[in-house]
């Protein structure tokens, strides 16, 4: 019997073809295996029963890192067999030859979004080799194999072969070539060593005469260790972009903040292994699993032993992670825990180009510079920050994993939708302007891009446009439907409008908070729910700034059932930075003659100078932070809210204050969270002097969670809807998330939250894409 098998899934970059070769030999099967686009094609010749067993094995067995979506089995007659051989330029009958791996070929990728693997953290086998003095790759910092190393970041095009990646620049030495043909690195496209691969290089400034010294290989590594041990700050070209590294001391961290122009945001710390993390952090099994996963994300862990203040500032968490590449492990082993952060000016893209890093942070006379930088000459095509995650413990010892930032180690893995009833549009969703991402969607899957950053920056805007083109080229994706936000001033909206116009493509706009809820619906393939969207800002249908929204969602449609009551703020964009200003606006809402409102704020509000009305939960957090004299300014997004959460976690008393965020009806019979009376109650409690900041902060969270349950219960009585989706950046607050989920479940609700994408604006593009998938054909016809 002769059969043609097409295997779809994550089957490239994991040693899948060598795996099939080995299995074919075990089964006594003749033929070949090759990459086709982002799938694998197998020609299998043997007894019918053997081929069927072989096909069943493929569905259940695969190498580490792979997963199988489908195996298409097709019997070939003699004519089809001969035709297939001709198509791959084989001029012999394979029935009498050994099974082989042959050259890859392209297929039409436009039929569906292919599955391709993200960059994979260093595996245990490579780690053992790198640390063994008997191995020829002992202390080779860029070690990798068939199941680990760079993937997406070095890809030029599909299929994934050495000559379609930036590894084409490095010719294999005879020993690597031999290993490439047999053994553990059989067809490992990133195979390299000290003799033939990219090498670690160091440039540093000699402090005695300011001359530039260049070293390579072990000399470069040893000198870098010496510089770091002396408290110096270095650049490091990692797998997916440049990083900045130093010891976690006050002095080094303070210098690093000047280099990055990063005032208060905590730094992440890399550790050699889990045992070292346990010294500094409380950690559970779920968090260990995340840290040790091939993605190697940063995981926010509760601090046990604190680093010096400048490292993590006031955060109760340490952003901990393990080495993702050999160079990281070698450095950590030598100097201990190490601050590792992206190499960029804050809110700018991470740098991937050697010359740009040198100009920006080594030769730049205008700013503080690094003392040197370690790099290599393997080109990076795709910029990817480190992914950031946290784990929330719910009742009954259930743990849920959530993203703060989704990038390296996870992108470009797609989301698979369980329901097949979606249209055939090729959808490009542009997301929002804060924490920008975009998404491609087709049929049953969505690929959401890596975190790009805030689009207020020119370089981030350019990066968005470039990455969309890069993704289109890699995945052969031609969109026929564009979806974006409704905010008239967003760069992403203007770019989407131009893209649609230039390419004569239909354009749809989705309300910001509806997209938040839709992102959770997409992750769970839901068609209806009660949606809770809490964040800082989003353009509402009434042209006010929304941010505390309650929807009833059904298919692509929604009904705004309730929201946080509006409060008038002044100062425009300054309101998102200044919690003190927001607090004064809340006092003005309580009483226009309040002596707690400055004359300038009072004048602006009286005369509607640069004012706007908002229902934002994010601004409520800011106002309460300033009221409680916890923090007056957001030097980075959510800083005030994080500070309140920190205080709330430190509350250990049994009884809480009876704060109540009342749910009332407005004139149109919509539900309102009465935030002004709530603010007044908090003010009275604080000024009474009877309650600590910790107690009020905890009760503040509890009251919001209780109000969510109450409004959901009212909507359930009206609609019979029992599913609740929670989204928006406010639910990155794990205390509020825990309280809300637990209370909703206690009241019989089925609760869903973001797990595939962040709850914040980085998930917006997924929700937009799902909007088009739910009913895109009907909606496009109306345009």
């Amino acid at each position: 019997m002769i059969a043609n098998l097409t295997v779809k899934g994550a089957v490239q970059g994991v040693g899948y073809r060598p795996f099939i070769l080995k299995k074919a030999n075990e089964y006594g099967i003749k033929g070949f295996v090759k990459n086709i686009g982002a799938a694998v094609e197998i020609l299998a010749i043997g007894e019918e029963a053997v081929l069927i067993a072989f096909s069943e094995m493929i569905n259940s067995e695969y190498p580490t890192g792979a997963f199988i979506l489908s195996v298409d089995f097709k019997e070939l007659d003699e004519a089809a067999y001969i035709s297939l051989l001709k198509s791959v330029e084989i001029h012999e009958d394979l029935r009498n030859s050994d099974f082989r791996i042959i050259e890859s070929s392209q297929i039409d990728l436009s039929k569906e979004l292919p599955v391709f693997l993200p960059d994979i953290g260093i595996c245990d086998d490579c780690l053992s080799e790198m640390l063994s003095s008997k191995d020829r790759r002992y202390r080779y910092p860029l070690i990798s194999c068939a199941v680990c190393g760079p993937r997406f970041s070095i890809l030029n095009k599909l299929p994934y072969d050495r000559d379609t990646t930036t590894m084409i620049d490095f010719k294999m030495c005879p020993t690597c070539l031999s290993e490439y043909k047999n053994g553990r690195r059989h067809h490992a496209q990133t195979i390299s060593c000290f003799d033939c691969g990219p090498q670690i290089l160091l440039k540093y400034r000699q402090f005695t005469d300011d001359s530039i010294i260049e070293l390579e290989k072990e000399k470069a590594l040893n000198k870098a260790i010496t510089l770091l041990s002396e408290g110096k700050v270095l650049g490091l070209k990692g797998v997916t972009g440049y990083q900045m590294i130093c010891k976690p001391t006050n002095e080094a961290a303070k210098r690093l903040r000047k280099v990055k122009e990063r005032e208060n945001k905590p730094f992440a710390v890399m550790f050699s292994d889990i045992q070292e993390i346990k010294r500094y952090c409380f950690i559970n099994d779920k968090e260990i699993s995340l840290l040790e996963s091939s993605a190697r994300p940063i995981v926010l862990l509760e601090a046990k032993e604190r680093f010096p203040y400048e490292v993590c500032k006031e955060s109760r968490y340490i952003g901990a992670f393990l080495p993702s590449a050999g160079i990281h492990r070698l450095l950590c082993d030598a100097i201990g825990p190490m601050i590792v952060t992206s190499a960029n000016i804050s809110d700018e893209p991470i740098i991937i180009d050697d010359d740009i890093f040198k100009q920006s942070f080594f030769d730049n006379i205008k700013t503080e510079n690094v003392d040197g930088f370690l790099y290599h000459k393997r080109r990076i095509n795709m910029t990817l920050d480190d992914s950031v995650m946290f784990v929330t413990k719910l009742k009954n010892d259930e743990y849920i994993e959530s993203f703060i930032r989704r990038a390296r180690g996870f992108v470009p893995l797609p989301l698979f939708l369980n329901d097949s009833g979606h249209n055939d549009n090729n959808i490009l969703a542009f997301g929002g302007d804060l924490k920008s991402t975009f998404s491609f969607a087709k049929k049953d899957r969505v690929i959401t891009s890596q975190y790009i950053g805030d689009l207020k920056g020119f370089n981030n805007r350019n990066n968005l446009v470039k990455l969309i083109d890069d993704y289109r080229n890699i995945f052969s994706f031609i969109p026929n439907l564009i979806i974006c936000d409704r905010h008239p001033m967003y760069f992403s909206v203007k770019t989407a409008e131009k893209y649609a116009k230039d390419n004569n493509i239909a354009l749809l706009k989705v309300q910001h908070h509806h997209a938040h809820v839709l992102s959770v619906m997409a992750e769970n393939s839901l068609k209806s729910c009660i949606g809770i969207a809490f964040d800082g800002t989003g353009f509402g249908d009434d042209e006010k700034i929304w941010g505390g929204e309650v929807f009833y969602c059904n298919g692509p449609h929604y009904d705004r059932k309730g929201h946080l009551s509006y409060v008038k703020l002044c100062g425009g964009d300054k309101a998102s930075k200044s919690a003190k200003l927001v607090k004064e606006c809340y006092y003005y809402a309580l009483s226009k003659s309040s002596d707690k409102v400055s004359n300038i704020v009072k004048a602006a509000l009286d005369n509607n100078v640069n004012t706007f009305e908002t229902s934002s939960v994010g601004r409520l957090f800011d106002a309460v932070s300033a009221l409680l004299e916890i923090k007056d300014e957001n030097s980075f997004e959510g800083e005030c809210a994080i500070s309140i959460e920190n205080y709330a976690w430190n509350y250990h008393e049994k009884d809480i204050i009876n704060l109540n965020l009342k749910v009332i009806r407005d004139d149109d019979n919509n539900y309102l969270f009465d935030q002004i009376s709530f603010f007044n109650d908090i003010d009275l409690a604080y000024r009474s002097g009877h309650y600590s900041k910790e107690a009020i902060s905890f009760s503040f969270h509890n009251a919001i969670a209780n109000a969510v349950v109450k409004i959901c219960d009212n909507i359930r009585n009206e609609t019979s809807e029992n599913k609740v989706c929670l989204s928006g950046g406010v639910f990155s607050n794990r205390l509020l998330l825990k309280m809300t989920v637990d209370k909703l479940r206690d009241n019989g609700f089925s609760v869903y939250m973001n797990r595939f994408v962040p709850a914040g604006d980085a998930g917006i593009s997924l929700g937009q894409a799902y909007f088009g998938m739910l009913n895109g054909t009907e909606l496009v016809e109306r345009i």
Side-chain angles (χ1 to χ4, degrees):
M1 183 180 185
I2 304 172
N4 181 253
L5 290 79
T6 302
V7 185
K8 295 180 180 179
V11 289
Q12 293 194 19
V14 289
Y16 191 76
R17 288 175 297 169
F19 168 80
I20 290 297
L21 172 64
K22 178 182 177 182
K23 288 297 183 179
N25 288 333
E26 290 177 4
Y27 279 76
I29 292 171
K30 309 296 184 181
F32 65 73
V33 59
K34 68 171 183 173
N35 283 336
I36 50 171
V40 163
E41 181 181 24
I42 303 168
L43 174 69
I45 306 169
E47 297 293 328
E48 179 177 359
V50 173
L51 294 190
I52 292 173
F54 179 69
S55 175
E56 292 174 349
M57 178 276 301
I58 291 174
N59 269 304
S60 59
E61 296 184 36
Y62 35 84
T64 302
F67 61 84
I68 307 302
L69 292 177
S70 65
V71 180
D72 180 46
F73 184 99
K74 181 180 179 182
E75 184 177 355
L76 301 181
D77 59 22
E78 190 68 19
Y81 167 60
I82 294 172
S83 176
L84 177 59
L85 293 181
K86 287 182 178 179
S87 70
V88 294
E89 299 183 354
I90 293 178
H91 307 291
E92 60 179 301
D93 189 345
L94 296 184
R95 281 174 281 214
N96 301 313
S97 302
D98 292 335
F99 194 90
R100 65 186 70 173
I101 296 172
I102 67 171
E103 292 298 315
S104 305
S105 64
Q106 291 281 4
I107 61 168
D108 182 10
L109 294 175
S110 63
K111 294 180 181 179
E112 61 186 7
L113 286 172
V115 179
F116 187 73
L117 285 172
D119 292 65
I120 303 169
I122 186 171
C123 69
D124 290 341
D125 288 335
C126 281
L127 192 59
S128 296
E129 290 174 355
M130 186 187 72
L131 298 178
S132 171
S133 59
K134 297 179 180 180
D135 195 273
R136 78 182 195 91
R137 291 185 176 85
Y138 175 55
R139 292 177 66 81
Y140 177 54
L142 299 171
I143 190 170
S144 65
C145 68
V147 298
C148 74
R151 295 295 186 267
F152 192 48
S153 64
I154 62 170
L155 185 67
N156 292 321
K157 63 178 181 178
L158 291 171
Y160 174 74
D161 286 314
R162 193 177 181 91
D163 61 0
T164 61
T165 71
T166 60
M167 287 301 295
I168 194 175
D169 298 341
F170 303 93
K171 184 179 179 180
M172 284 182 275
C173 66
T175 307
C176 280
L177 184 60
S178 175
E179 292 176 337
Y180 184 79
K181 294 178 179 178
N182 289 288
R184 197 173 76 81
R185 289 184 171 83
H186 193 188
H187 276 260
Q189 309 306 339
T190 56
I191 188 172
S192 61
C193 70
F194 281 114
D195 295 327
C196 65
Q199 306 299 325
I200 283 293
L201 309 167
L202 172 69
K203 286 187 180 181
Y204 71 98
R205 187 167 278 107
Q206 186 78 10
F207 302 107
T208 54
D209 58 6
D210 213 35
S211 61
I212 305 300
I213 308 297
E214 298 186 33
L215 301 173
E216 66 173 358
K217 297 185 178 179
E218 189 70 10
K219 289 182 179 180
L221 178 61
N222 288 334
K223 183 61 180 179
I225 291 169
T226 298
L227 292 171
L228 289 168
S229 299
E230 293 172 351
K232 301 297 190 291
V233 176
L234 298 183
L236 170 65
K237 188 177 183 181
V239 175
T240 61
Y242 267 92
Q243 299 168 317
M244 292 180 186
I245 59 176
C246 66
K247 290 187 70 173
T249 64
N250 257 330
E251 184 178 346
K254 190 177 293 187
R255 268 207 63 211
L256 181 53
R257 291 190 182 280
K258 290 180 180 178
V259 174
K260 276 182 64 75
E261 298 179 15
R262 178 173 175 167
E263 186 176 349
N264 288 321
K265 199 171 183 181
F267 284 127
V269 181
M270 182 177 284
F271 299 81
S272 282
D273 54 38
I274 290 293
Q275 292 307 312
E276 194 172 38
I277 292 178
K278 287 181 176 180
R279 174 185 163 191
Y280 289 90
C281 306
F282 297 101
I283 186 169
N284 59 50
D285 290 344
K286 179 63 70 174
E287 290 163 337
I288 291 174
S289 177
L290 277 179
L291 287 161
E292 293 182 334
S293 70
S294 63
R296 296 291 198 277
I298 297 169
V299 181
L300 301 183
L301 305 174
E302 186 178 352
K304 179 192 298 182
E305 179 179 330
R306 293 197 171 274
F307 287 104
Y309 177 74
E310 288 293 336
V311 178
C312 299
K313 290 285 187 167
E314 297 170 0
S315 177
R316 70 190 301 269
Y317 303 113
I318 295 174
F321 60 142
L322 294 174
S324 58
I327 182 63
H328 292 136
R329 178 60 186 263
L330 292 172
L331 292 172
C332 283
D333 280 355
I335 69 166
M338 184 171 66
I339 294 176
V340 180
T341 186
S342 56
N344 61 340
I345 299 296
S346 290
D347 298 325
E348 289 287 314
I350 185 173
I351 294 172
I352 60 175
D353 183 87
D354 302 333
D355 290 335
I356 292 176
F357 179 85
K358 184 173 182 291
Q359 293 163 12
S360 301
F361 293 112
F362 190 66
D363 295 336
N364 193 341
I365 62 172
K366 295 181 181 179
T367 64
E368 187 90 18
N369 284 323
V370 296
D371 299 302
F373 62 101
L374 284 162
Y375 69 108
H376 52 79
K377 293 186 177 180
R378 182 175 62 211
R379 290 176 289 122
I380 300 173
N381 284 345
M382 191 74 66
T383 173
L384 292 144
D385 287 275
D386 293 311
S387 295
V388 183
M389 304 184 72
F390 65 92
V391 174
T392 304
K393 182 179 179 181
L394 303 177
K395 284 186 176 180
N396 303 319
D397 291 332
E398 178 187 353
Y399 294 93
I400 55 173
E401 306 166 6
S402 304
F403 281 99
I404 297 291
R405 182 169 69 205
R406 182 177 179 270
R408 180 188 55 77
F410 296 95
V411 174
L413 289 175
L415 171 69
F416 297 96
L417 297 155
N418 295 328
D419 193 290
S420 60
H422 308 294
N423 61 73
D424 290 331
N425 286 315
N426 288 2
I427 299 166
L428 167 55
F430 274 78
D433 269 25
L434 301 178
K435 294 179 169 51
S436 169
T437 65
F438 61 88
S439 290
F440 286 177
K442 185 173 178 63
K443 292 184 178 176
D444 66 340
R445 63 193 70 167
V446 185
I447 293 176
T448 297
S449 77
Q450 63 267 47
Y451 166 87
I452 297 169
D454 295 350
L455 298 184
K456 63 183 179 182
F458 176 78
N459 291 330
N460 284 339
R461 293 179 175 188
N462 286 344
N463 201 26
L464 169 68
V465 175
K466 177 186 180 299
L467 286 173
I468 288 175
D469 285 342
D470 289 344
Y471 270 63
R472 281 194 57 199
N473 292 332
I474 289 172
F475 297 112
S476 299
F477 188 80
I478 302 174
N480 64 4
L481 175 60
I482 304 298
I483 304 183
C484 66
D485 199 89
R486 288 184 182 172
H487 198 301
M489 301 305 294
Y490 270 6
F491 174 81
S492 58
V493 172
K494 294 177 180 179
T495 306
E497 290 171 340
K498 184 178 186 303
Y499 195 104
K501 182 179 179 181
D502 290 349
N503 294 280
N504 194 28
I505 303 173
L507 172 70
L508 297 176
K509 296 184 179 182
V510 182
Q511 200 282 322
H512 186 92
H513 301 93
H514 185 207
H516 269 307
V517 176
L518 284 164
S519 70
V520 184
M521 293 173 66
E523 291 189 36
N524 298 280
S525 295
L526 302 180
K527 296 297 177 61
S528 67
C529 73
I530 299 169
I532 309 295
F534 288 174
D535 67 0
T537 182
F539 189 75
D541 293 341
D542 56 5
E543 300 188 357
K544 296 178 181 179
I545 302 302
W546 292 4
E549 309 309 308
V550 183
F551 298 137
Y552 171 58
C553 300
N554 191 0
H557 309 290
Y558 74 94
D559 180 14
R560 190 189 192 203
K561 304 292 289 185
H563 58 88
L564 206 66
S565 60
Y566 286 121
V567 62
K568 185 165 69 171
L569 304 183
C570 64
D573 290 342
K574 186 180 178 182
S576 64
K577 296 287 187 181
S578 175
K580 179 178 181 295
L581 171 62
V582 174
K583 177 191 70 173
E584 290 189 36
C585 293
Y586 272 73
Y587 277 124
Y588 178 90
L590 280 172
S591 171
K592 293 183 179 181
S593 60
S594 172
D595 59 3
K596 297 178 182 177
V597 184
S598 64
N599 289 334
I600 191 170
V601 171
K602 191 175 296 183
L605 293 169
D606 282 342
N607 296 286
N608 290 316
V609 177
N610 201 17
T611 61
F612 60 95
E613 290 187 82
T614 182
S615 59
S616 167
V617 175
R619 298 294 76 80
L620 174 62
F621 267 84
D622 289 346
V624 174
S625 171
L627 184 159
L628 296 179
E629 301 177 283
I630 293 174
K631 192 168 288 293
D632 280 344
E633 298 286 335
N634 285 307
S635 66
F636 60 89
E637 186 186 10
E639 184 177 7
C640 290
I642 291 169
S643 297
I644 295 180
E645 182 189 357
N646 289 342
Y647 270 82
W649 279 113
N650 290 330
Y651 173 67
H652 299 296
E653 300 172 33
K654 292 183 179 180
D655 298 323
I656 64 173
I657 308 168
N658 187 26
L659 290 178
N660 181 23
L661 176 54
K662 298 172 186 175
V663 177
I664 61 176
R665 294 272 198 169
D666 65 9
D667 294 338
D668 296 321
N669 210 32
N670 295 315
Y671 295 104
L672 293 181
F673 299 112
D674 185 1
Q675 65 164 328
I676 301 304
S677 67
F678 185 45
F679 180 82
N680 185 53
D681 291 345
I682 295 170
D683 182 52
L684 292 173
Y686 184 55
R687 287 194 291 117
S688 74
H690 298 315
Y691 308 104
S692 66
K693 295 179 184 181
E694 289 81 1
I696 296 174
S697 297
F698 185 90
S699 301
F700 170 72
H701 285 76
N702 189 66
I704 294 174
N706 285 336
V708 169
V709 174
K710 183 174 181 180
I711 204 169
C712 287
D713 193 48
N714 289 340
I715 296 171
R716 178 169 58 183
N717 291 336
E718 297 171 3
T719 64
S720 298
E721 179 60 68
N722 197 57
K723 299 183 294 296
V724 178
C725 291
L726 307 175
S727 191
V730 169
F731 285 110
S732 296
N733 178 323
R734 69 178 80 179
L735 177 61
L736 182 63
L737 180 64
K738 169 182 169 53
M739 284 180 166
T740 307
V741 173
D742 284 342
K743 290 175 184 290
L744 284 167
R745 287 182 173 176
D746 286 346
N747 281 270
F749 288 97
S750 298
V751 188
Y752 304 86
M753 66 291 296
N754 289 109
R755 304 210 186 173
F756 180 79
V757 295
D761 282 8
I764 287 288
S765 67
L766 171 59
Q768 292 171 347
Y770 193 55
F771 176 81
M773 298 173 82
L774 282 173
N775 203 357
T777 303
E778 172 193 336
L779 294 165
V780 169
E781 288 174 352
R782 298 177 186 172
I783 296 177

